[in-house]
Amino acid sequence: MVGSCRQCDQCTNDLENYCSKMILTYSAVYTDGTITYGGYSNLMVADEHFIVRWPENFPLDAGAPLLCAGITTYSPLRYFGLDKPGMNIGVVGLGGLGHVAVKFAKAFGTKVTVISTSINKKKEAIEKLGADSFLVSRDPEDMKATAGTLDGILDTVSADHPILPLLSLLKPHGKMVLLGVPNKPIELPAFPLITGRKLIAGSGIGGMKETQEMIDFAAKHNILPDVEIIPIDYINTAMDRLVKSDVKYRFVIDIAKSLKAE
């Protein structure tokens, strides 16, 4: 984001991302009526309040997705109290958001279970990203064995998927936070929420103060997304590959070397 009203309750509490007049970094209308183009520009001017101070010697290319995927996963872990050492945290989906969620949750000292529909990502999750366990959500025996063991779940999946089986994994008083945006409305069963006093919530990016905190934490713990650097003229191919989930796990455009100013 590059703007907000700076006066409402959300803004005065460092939660500019929840301001009703929040301005997105790109494809939004700025205060002067122009369209924001964000990182897809060779030059950008922004209000200093919405600038993040980048830690020295922290890679800007690999670190860039932290400003979206990083804060989107860091903020709910902090806000919902899922950042305590020894907690059991589930991460649904191992994509752009999910792999960063695993890294932050591990840095907080939690035990992380990656939950996926396929066994294919197990080696990646455990050996490369450091997850403690891997759960195949389509395996009834796996799901039954893990029922009632998780303190919290970050659901990063945007494809349509059932919520009820995931709720069964939570302990009583457990929290499930939705970060992905499926096309269809989710079916929300009331009974398991009531009987276990379980919470289902959503979360979107974070305020500027928390975003700075996240970047500093990432630099301290050397948390970086897994990225593929591309020139800007590769963008259409990259979009095609995104549709096929053919990227681990974020494309980053090298603007300086490939965008030619007119």
Side-chain angles (χ1 to χ4, degrees):
M1 59 183 168
V2 291
S4 68
C5 81
R6 309 285 296 279
Q7 296 176 334
C8 68
D9 287 347
Q10 303 308 314
C11 288
T12 54
N13 283 288
D14 299 309
L15 295 167
E16 302 92 340
N17 52 311
Y18 296 116
C19 172
S20 62
K21 296 179 181 178
M22 186 262 283
I23 303 170
L24 293 170
T25 308
Y26 53 88
S27 296
V29 180
Y30 200 62
T31 52
D32 61 359
T34 59
I35 301 298
T36 58
Y37 292 104
Y40 305 104
S41 315
N42 65 313
L43 182 67
M44 180 179 172
V45 177
D47 183 320
E48 65 180 353
H49 181 78
F50 294 91
I51 294 294
V52 174
R53 294 174 302 283
W54 203 258
E56 194 174 349
N57 300 321
F58 195 50
L60 189 55
D61 49 5
L66 290 172
L67 296 170
C68 188
I71 187 61
T72 296
T73 51
Y74 178 92
S75 182
L77 287 169
R78 295 279 286 154
Y79 179 78
F80 292 101
L82 304 177
D83 57 348
K84 309 296 185 292
M87 276 187 156
N88 293 306
I89 305 299
V91 175
V92 185
L94 197 64
L97 287 177
H99 89 287
V100 178
V102 172
K103 294 184 180 190
F104 274 121
K106 286 298 296 180
F108 283 130
T110 71
K111 296 176 182 177
V112 180
T113 299
V114 170
I115 304 162
S116 179
T117 55
S118 167
I119 194 74
N120 296 342
K121 294 184 177 180
K122 181 175 182 178
K123 185 176 180 180
E124 178 95 3
I126 292 177
E127 294 182 12
K128 185 173 182 183
L129 298 175
D132 298 280
S133 56
F134 190 91
L135 175 62
V136 179
S137 58
R138 289 176 176 164
D139 185 325
E141 292 303 313
D142 257 10
M143 293 292 283
K144 187 175 180 181
T146 315
T149 64
L150 301 180
D151 296 288
I153 295 174
L154 297 188
D155 187 346
T156 72
V157 175
S158 287
D160 295 323
H161 61 290
I163 295 295
L164 180 59
L166 299 173
L167 288 176
S168 71
L169 303 176
L170 288 172
K171 296 177 182 178
H173 328 297
K175 301 165 184 175
M176 180 172 174
V177 188
L178 305 180
L179 304 178
V181 187
N183 287 323
K184 297 178 183 176
I186 61 171
E187 287 189 20
L188 189 58
F191 196 68
L193 295 179
I194 294 168
T195 55
R197 195 164 72 170
K198 297 174 182 179
L199 178 72
I200 233 180
S203 183
I205 59 171
M208 293 311 302
K209 181 179 179 181
E210 190 174 49
T211 301
Q212 185 67 59
E213 176 189 299
M214 176 275 303
I215 285 290
D216 293 340
F217 181 89
K220 180 180 178 181
H221 294 273
N222 197 31
I223 297 170
L224 287 165
D226 296 353
V227 302
E228 181 178 334
I229 311 295
I230 62 169
I232 198 160
D233 57 9
Y234 187 78
I235 191 72
N236 289 337
T237 304
M239 293 300 288
D240 291 338
R241 286 179 55 193
L242 272 177
V243 173
K244 301 172 186 173
S245 299
D246 178 25
V247 58
K248 288 186 178 178
Y249 284 96
R250 280 283 193 259
F251 286 120
V252 174
I253 305 167
D254 189 340
I255 293 291
K257 289 184 180 177
S258 62
L259 180 64
K260 304 296 187 291
E262 293 181 358

